[in-house]
């Protein structure tokens, strides 16, 4: 959680006002961890840390609830993509955006630093907002609210959120989204759903990226699916090789199905 993973208990946003083509900018949030070092915490310190974690999650939940109501009012569907660094989230987004030219889509890109991913998304011609979290390891509802304020998506739009590369904290923080989606490369190993169950339990879909590498790997794609459904029997699974276009139609069909559906 935030009070123990190093991303801090508060996020201070420092907007530097850099204007770029394609509507992307820089939002720098720097986490400050004032908690005592872990290891030999006094019982009072441990209790304080726990209360801090509870308060942090409760505050975010309240903000996310208001954000969800706002999105429902404006008929905007938000999907929260969560995955480890290098899982292929940005590549999946690039090809998804190009495969859905008829949909109004905006993107919020989360990273600790740089606007590299936002530049890649901007090249597709879609509006994008880069959110840099500094030491923070996840996006939160306040960051999404600010991103939406700046993007101002039209009613009926789809907002795709690429969370910071991490399989832990992003699972805990509600962003007001319609659904969480786990993005996992086949190279990451079949046991990841069992090792990181919370995010798979919270997700509605799993996109298995880089599926074109399977012939070169000693892994069984059925084992990925079995492990994911051991944790979450209802999860939808989409093997995708985005660059080759394999499986992209099925994934994009699922994305379309989320528009206007129940929260």
């Amino acid at each position: 959680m935030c009070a123990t993973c190093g991303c801090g208990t508060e996020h201070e946003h420092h907007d530097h006002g850099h204007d770029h083509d394609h509507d992307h900018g820089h939002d720098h949030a720097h986490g400050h961890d004032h908690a005592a070092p872990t290891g030999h915490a006094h019982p009072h310190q441990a209790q304080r840390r726990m209360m801090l974690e509870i308060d942090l999650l409760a505050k975010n939940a309240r903000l996310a609830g208001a954000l969800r109501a706002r999105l429902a009012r404006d008929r905007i569907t938000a999907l929260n993509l969560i995955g480890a660094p290098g899982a292929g989230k940005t590549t999946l987004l690039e090809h998804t955006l190009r495969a859905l030219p008829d949909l109004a889509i905006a993107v919020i890109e989360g990273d600790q630093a740089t606007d590299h991913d936002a530049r890649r998304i901007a090249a597709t011609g879609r509006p994008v907002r880069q959110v840099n979290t500094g030491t923070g390891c996840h996006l939160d509802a306040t960051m999404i609210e600010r991103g939406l304020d700046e993007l101002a998506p039209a009613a009926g739009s789809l907002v795709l959120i690429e969370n910071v590369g991490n399989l832990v904290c992003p699972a805990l923080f509600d962003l007001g989204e319609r659904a969480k989606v786990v993005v996992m490369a086949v190279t990451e190993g079949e046991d990841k759903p069992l090792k990181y169950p919370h995010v798979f339990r919270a997700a509605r879909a799993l996109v298995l990226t880089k599926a074109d590498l399977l012939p070169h790997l000693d892994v069984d794609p059925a084992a990925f699916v079995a492990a994911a459904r051991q944790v979450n029997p209802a999860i939808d699974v989409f093997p995708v090789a985005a660059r080759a276009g394999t499986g992209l139609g099925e994934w994009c069909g699922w994305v379309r199905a989320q528009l206007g559906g129940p929260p």
Side-chain angles (χ1 to χ4, degrees):
M1 291 189 182
C2 278
T4 58
C5 70
C7 71
T9 59
E10 295 181 3
H11 298 281
E12 298 177 6
H13 299 260
H14 301 284
D15 291 313
H16 298 287
H18 300 306
D19 293 324
H20 301 278
D21 292 339
H22 310 292
D23 299 317
H24 72 275
H26 304 283
D27 190 347
H28 299 278
H30 303 284
H32 301 282
D33 190 355
H34 302 290
T38 57
H40 301 286
H42 187 276
H44 176 71
Q45 292 175 315
Q47 183 178 12
R48 179 178 178 275
R49 184 185 299 276
M50 181 176 293
M51 293 304 298
L52 196 59
E53 291 169 354
I54 292 171
D55 289 346
L56 181 67
L57 290 171
K59 177 183 177 182
N60 185 79
R62 289 193 298 272
L63 293 172
L67 190 55
R68 181 170 285 106
R70 167 185 170 179
L71 293 171
R73 179 198 68 205
D74 295 338
R75 297 183 294 109
I76 296 172
T77 300
L79 301 178
N80 179 7
L81 275 62
I82 300 172
K89 299 185 294 298
T90 308
T91 297
L92 176 66
L93 279 177
E94 289 175 302
H95 289 273
T96 300
L97 293 171
R98 294 189 172 104
L100 296 171
D102 57 312
L103 297 185
I105 309 176
V107 178
I108 296 176
E109 276 288 346
D111 277 302
Q112 290 191 326
T114 81
D115 65 347
H116 294 172
D117 288 351
R119 291 180 183 276
R120 290 171 59 183
I121 297 301
T124 70
R126 304 295 188 135
V128 57
R129 174 62 175 167
Q130 179 76 53
V131 179
N132 291 139
T133 62
T135 58
C137 61
H138 63 273
L139 297 175
D140 62 28
T142 300
M143 298 173 188
I144 300 305
E145 183 178 43
R146 291 189 180 190
L148 289 172
D149 287 344
E150 293 169 6
L151 286 167
S157 294
L158 173 65
V159 175
L160 298 176
I161 302 165
E162 181 179 341
N163 221 309
V164 179
N166 186 351
L167 285 173
V168 183
C169 279
L172 301 173
F173 281 79
D174 186 358
L175 304 182
E177 71 271 25
R178 173 69 51 80
K180 289 180 173 65
V181 177
V182 181
V183 180
M184 185 176 76
V186 295
T187 53
E188 294 182 62
E190 306 155 352
D191 61 346
K192 290 301 179 292
L194 304 180
K195 294 176 72 173
Y196 299 91
H198 299 293
V199 67
F200 287 89
R201 193 171 293 123
R204 292 194 189 178
L206 163 63
V207 181
L208 276 174
T209 60
K210 308 181 186 182
D212 51 329
L213 297 180
L214 283 169
H216 309 287
L217 303 172
D218 185 21
V219 298
D220 178 6
F224 282 99
V225 179
R229 290 192 170 141
Q230 181 178 334
V231 175
N232 181 355
I235 198 168
D236 293 315
V237 182
F238 302 95
V240 170
R243 295 186 187 279
T246 307
L248 203 59
E250 291 80 1
W251 155 245
C252 288
W254 184 91
V255 171
R256 284 185 184 277
Q258 307 312 304
L259 296 172

